[in-house]
Amino acid sequence: AADATAHMVENPHLTSTLHGHEVLITLILIALLGGVFLKGFSEAIGVAVVLVSTYLALNVVVVAVGLWNVFTEPQVVTDWTSALTAEHGNVFMMIAIALVVFPKLALGLSGFETGVAVMPHVQGDPSDTEEKPAGRIRGAKKLLTTAAVIMSVFLICSSLVTTLLIPAAKFQPGGEANGRALAYLAHEYLGSAFGTVYDVSTICILWFAGASAMAGLLNLMPRYLPRYGKALHWARALRPMVIVFTLIAFLVTWLFNADVDAQGGAYATGVLVLITSAAVAVTIAARRAGERGWTIGFGIISAVFIYTTAINVAERPDGVKIGACFIGGIMALSLLSRLARVFELRVTHIEFDDMAERFIRDTANRTIRFIANEPDSRDLEEYRQKKAQIRADNDIPAEDDVMFVEVTVLDASEFESGMRVRGEVLHGRYRVLTLESSSIPNALAALLLHVRDETGQRPHIYFEWTEGNPMANFFRFFLFGQGEVAPVTREVIREA
């Protein structure tokens, strides 16, 4: 949006009117983008298709005219090579300098990372399943290949024509081609009318470039954040999230004073970190799959991106600083959110296997009694002693039946998830329900409520009281899903 504003302000017909109002214009453009998404996701994609098609067509004209001028005016190539050899006589020095400035091309990848982020929107075939989404994979390959080919061709061709046809002084800060080299060529070689049309198209495409980022965020955030307790349920809705992202964009624009160069370093760092981590992940995946050729190929690509990222961070550390602020803010807000929601039920659905269902049906016509047991060796003596202790502590009649419930914490960082309950008979006499969850109290509460709803009976559960400092036990529960199980289970049930 800030880049679109820069093109608008630097247009020869508008400079005198708009100069000095960059922040206001950028905020208006961001608000308009948010307004499109508030209207609807499909409408936003429709606008994107029209803008991208027009923009690419105009770029084909500008680049083609530029290449024609390069071929018909051979002196521009001669002048460039002469300047190159005069400054760097050694070809190896040229390569070294090229490698040093290569990371500056990273912004040419802008948009590719958000193209990847919208891959979950690829529809796939009707026969696709979650385990084998062959159609979605095929469609995603088409998406990535098309984007990569278009970007590579335009990046190389535009770099060539702008380098050869535009004087170096024009690229300097304040120069007519700084940040708008192709627009400069459009005005220079195709006239003011075409140049203005190109400017309008560029402004529109830059304004709407945030659509891919918005689409990616709207798809990713509701999918991942609620699982970790980092978003309330309203975050699953489209429009509230659009408003949140728009307000964040307002804040960033105000902090950076809508300065494209100031934001460029931060943006490039974000793009490069994302793509570098993806390249490394694919290299690891290829190595695990035993694909030697792909491992070497992706390893080389990863090395290039690691080098580019390191150079970019060294030259423009603002991106790392801003990223650290966002990460710190997200972690702080996440902890506060998790703390505020710690006593929620946090179990999205429950599945019983056949044996577990049989256990519940068998006890549905009498008092249902569970014993919460922390699984240890799971030998005969463990269950015998536990049962005897609970019966003695709670005066449970000898003729009343009991069932053991055991919860295993898999990933305590996962805030909410489904739960599967398995039933088994151990040592020929003890019925045990085993659960896997991110938190013991929440899993037990969900089980008890489910059994109550299914049977119409209020189940009882018995605990061995936990020793130790109550605050320490609470933090054990908060961080690791364990701790003071009995009172927390009661509180979760009370809130639910």
Side-chain angles (χ1 to χ4, degrees):
D3 210 354
T5 299
H7 278 71
M8 200 181 297
V9 171
E10 289 167 12
N11 183 281
H13 304 295
L14 300 173
T15 300
S16 57
T17 307
L18 301 179
H19 187 73
H21 302 290
E22 286 84 355
V23 173
L24 177 62
I25 296 168
T26 305
L27 292 176
I28 291 171
L29 291 177
I30 292 170
L32 289 172
L33 178 63
V36 172
F37 273 89
L38 287 174
K39 177 70 177 172
F41 190 86
S42 299
E43 288 82 352
I45 300 302
V47 172
V49 170
V50 174
L51 293 180
V52 170
S53 301
T54 305
Y55 179 69
L56 290 179
L58 292 171
N59 270 284
V60 168
V61 174
V62 175
V63 171
V65 169
L67 290 172
W68 173 257
N69 279 274
V70 169
F71 288 123
T72 55
E73 300 176 25
Q75 72 275 9
V76 296
V77 178
T78 307
D79 292 345
W80 176 69
T81 52
S82 299
L84 194 64
T85 51
E87 191 170 349
H88 312 291
N90 188 327
V91 67
F92 294 107
M93 185 56 69
M94 292 181 194
I95 294 172
I97 295 297
L99 287 173
V100 170
V101 299
F102 171 76
K104 295 185 185 298
L105 282 175
L107 276 177
L109 289 166
S110 63
F112 189 70
E113 83 289 355
T114 45
V116 172
V118 299
M119 281 198 298
H121 291 294
V122 176
Q123 188 170 357
D125 297 333
S127 59
D128 279 4
T129 63
E130 194 166 332
E131 291 74 25
K132 295 190 70 174
R136 289 187 65 192
I137 293 171
R138 189 169 58 252
K141 284 183 178 178
K142 288 180 184 177
L143 169 72
L144 295 178
T145 304
T146 303
V149 169
I150 291 173
M151 292 174 67
S152 299
V153 170
F154 274 108
L155 186 60
I156 293 169
C157 291
S158 61
S159 295
L160 180 67
V161 297
T162 53
T163 300
L164 294 176
L165 297 176
I166 301 176
K170 302 283 187 181
F171 286 107
Q172 301 304 315
E176 296 175 54
N178 180 36
R180 55 192 309 274
L182 286 174
Y184 174 87
L185 290 181
H187 282 274
E188 186 75 14
Y189 289 96
L190 293 162
S192 179
F194 184 91
T196 299
V197 171
Y198 184 85
D199 278 341
V200 171
S201 173
T202 304
I203 290 164
C204 290
I205 201 72
L206 287 169
W207 159 64
F208 213 71
S212 59
M214 182 80 87
L217 286 167
L218 290 173
N219 178 71
L220 293 172
M221 300 289 268
R223 179 173 296 193
Y224 292 107
L225 289 191
R227 288 181 57 204
Y228 298 109
K230 297 175 184 175
L232 299 172
H233 290 292
W234 59 260
R236 299 176 189 270
L238 177 72
R239 287 178 173 82
M241 292 307 291
V242 170
I243 293 170
V244 169
F245 292 138
T246 302
L247 291 175
I248 292 172
F250 281 174
L251 176 63
V252 172
T253 299
W254 174 66
L255 290 175
F256 281 94
N257 203 31
D259 187 329
V260 180
D261 292 329
Q263 295 180 82
Y267 184 67
T269 302
V271 171
L272 285 169
V273 168
L274 189 66
I275 296 179
T276 301
S277 62
V280 172
V282 173
T283 305
I284 294 170
R287 185 174 181 273
R288 286 180 177 173
E291 298 171 336
R292 181 180 172 81
W294 285 115
T295 303
I296 295 171
F298 288 127
I300 294 170
I301 293 170
S302 298
V304 171
F305 278 118
I306 290 170
Y307 160 75
T308 307
T309 304
I311 296 295
N312 193 277
V313 170
E315 288 185 353
R316 297 184 284 188
D318 286 351
V320 174
K321 295 175 183 176
I322 294 160
C325 290
F326 269 97
I327 290 168
I330 288 169
M331 290 184 70
L333 289 171
S334 300
L335 286 171
L336 290 173
S337 171
R338 198 178 181 106
L339 190 61
R341 305 176 61 202
V342 71
F343 296 119
E344 288 185 11
L345 200 56
R346 292 167 53 178
V347 175
T348 55
H349 63 277
I350 302 178
E351 296 178 11
F352 281 72
D353 70 1
D354 293 338
M355 184 68 77
E357 284 190 347
R358 195 181 310 165
F359 289 170
I360 301 302
R361 281 199 308 269
D362 182 53
T363 57
N365 58 352
R366 56 187 186 273
T367 303
I368 304 171
R369 300 185 190 274
F370 295 115
I371 295 175
N373 182 52
E374 185 176 353
D376 192 10
S377 59
R378 304 192 85 199
D379 58 10
L380 178 63
E381 190 62 21
E382 176 183 342
Y383 293 103
R384 188 188 66 77
Q385 288 185 358
K386 186 79 171 186
K387 185 176 179 181
Q389 178 191 343
I390 292 295
R391 281 193 185 278
D393 289 346
N394 299 279
D395 295 325
I396 299 175
E399 65 274 10
D400 280 17
D401 194 15
V402 295
M403 252 184 293
F404 288 93
V405 182
E406 298 176 345
V407 183
T408 302
V409 176
L410 295 177
D411 180 5
S413 68
E414 191 165 322
F415 185 76
E416 62 180 18
S417 63
M419 185 173 72
R420 182 165 175 79
V421 182
R422 293 185 295 109
E424 55 185 326
V425 178
L426 296 181
H427 311 296
R429 65 177 75 176
Y430 298 114
R431 291 187 293 182
V432 182
L433 296 179
T434 58
L435 293 65
E436 292 180 343
S437 181
S438 59
S439 168
I440 294 174
N442 305 76
L444 293 174
L447 172 69
L448 295 170
L449 290 168
H450 183 82
V451 170
R452 181 202 63 180
D453 296 340
E454 289 293 310
T455 64
Q457 298 276 0
R458 178 179 292 182
H460 297 254
I461 188 165
Y462 302 92
F463 299 89
E464 182 180 347
W465 205 260
T466 308
E467 302 292 340
N469 185 293
M471 189 59 69
N473 280 324
F474 173 76
F475 278 110
R476 280 185 65 211
F477 161 66
F478 180 67
L479 297 173
F480 307 114
Q482 303 178 37
E484 189 65 276
V485 176
V488 176
T489 302
R490 179 191 177 281
E491 182 60 23
V492 173
I493 291 173
R494 190 189 67 80
E495 286 217 6

